[in-house]
Amino acid sequence: SVLVQLLSAATGGDGLGDLLTMGNPEEGELVHGVSLEVFEVGLQARRVARQFVRKEEKHPSEEDCSKVKAICAMAFRTMRDAYLLDCREEAIFDRRCVRLRDLLEECQTPCETSFTRCKGQATEGTWWQMMGLRR
C-alpha cells in the first residue's frame, strides 16, 4: 500500500516493525490511543511540504506538485480518521490526541502553501489582465 511505502521511505527501509508496537490482534491485545504510524505519516507530510515550499523554483514541476498533493491528502485523511476514531470525548485531552491536533494544524499551513504554488497562474498577456480584472 502507499502508506507502507511512504513509511518505508521515511524510516530508511527498516520497515514498520521498529515504528509500531501495536500488539498482535490474534492474541487479543487491544491498542488504545493514536498509533505511532499516524504521527509518522503526519511528520513526513509536514517535512515534504516544507521542503517543497522552500524550493526556489518559480514554477514547480507537475510531478513534484502531484507528489506533494498526494502525500498531504493521504496524511490529512489518516490523521483526521485517527483523531475522529481514537480521540473521543473521554480522550480528547490525552497527550497523543492533543499532539495529533497540533500536528494537523502544523501540516495545514505548508500543505496549503504548496497547493497555492502549484496552481496555474495566468500569464501576463491574458484577457483578464487586459481588462484590468486581474493584477
Side-chain angles (χ1 to χ4, degrees), residues 4 6 26 28 37 52 85 110 119 127 133:
V4 173
L6 179 63
E26 295 172 359
E37 177 183 38
F52 181 82
L85 292 174
K119 284 185 181 178
W127 188 81
L133 299 175

Side-chain angles (χ1 to χ4, degrees), residues 96-129:
R96 285 188 175 201
C97 290
V98 170
R99 180 63 191 122
L100 181 60
R101 190 173 56 232
D102 292 344
L103 185 58
L104 268 163
E105 288 180 27
E106 291 171 13
C107 284
Q108 183 176 357
T109 303
C111 283
E112 286 181 351
T113 304
S114 66
F115 297 162
T116 303
R117 283 191 62 200
C118 287
K119 284 185 181 178
Q121 296 296 322
T123 59
E124 291 182 23
T126 63
W127 188 81
W128 295 105
Q129 285 180 335

Side-chain angles (χ1 to χ4, degrees), residues 46-58 60 68 110 113-114 117:
R46 185 183 70 180
R47 185 178 314 115
V48 168
R50 283 181 176 174
Q51 288 172 351
F52 181 82
V53 170
R54 287 185 191 132
K55 285 185 179 178
E56 302 275 334
E57 300 173 0
K58 288 186 179 182
V68 170
T113 304
S114 66
R117 283 191 62 200

Side-chain angles (χ1 to χ4, degrees), residues 2 7-9 16-17 24 36-37 41 44 47 51 54 61 63 65 68 76 82 91 93 116 125 128 130-131 134:
V2 174
L7 285 172
S8 178
L16 300 178
N24 188 353
L36 294 177
E37 177 183 38
V41 170
Q44 176 70 12
R47 185 178 314 115
Q51 288 172 351
R54 287 185 191 132
S61 71
E63 182 181 334
C65 286
V68 170
F76 172 75
F93 296 112
T116 303
W128 295 105
M130 288 187 277
M131 296 299 293
R134 184 174 178 146

